[in-house]
Amino acid sequence: MSDKDANPCIKCSVVQCKHHCGTVDYCALDEIQVGTHEENPTVVQCTDCESFEVKG
């Protein structure tokens, strides 16, 4: 992904994701899916970006 693909509505600092936009901390996707791995999430660490894909 390049800086020009950045979606300014989705900030992201996960550089290991294939949707991360290079030198700027944004996502290139139009939308993301946020989910949880907990039955009753109570803190930010309980949430996950389910749109994450590892860079390959």
Side-chain angles (χ1 to χ4, degrees):
M1 294 297 138
S2 68
D3 296 357
K4 68 179 179 175
D5 297 320
N7 180 340
C9 295
I10 305 174
K11 292 184 177 188
C12 180
S13 60
V14 182
V15 297
Q16 297 83 355
C17 182
K18 81 176 205 177
H19 305 296
H20 187 269
C21 288
T23 60
V24 294
D25 281 343
Y26 290 100
C27 181
L29 295 174
D30 292 332
E31 64 182 21
I32 62 168
Q33 178 68 41
V34 176
T36 183
H37 56 273
E38 300 287 335
E39 186 175 316
N40 183 25
T42 57
V43 294
V44 70
Q45 291 85 351
C46 296
T47 61
D48 306 296
C49 178
E50 294 179 345
S51 300
F52 172 82
E53 292 183 52
V54 71
K55 279 184 184 175

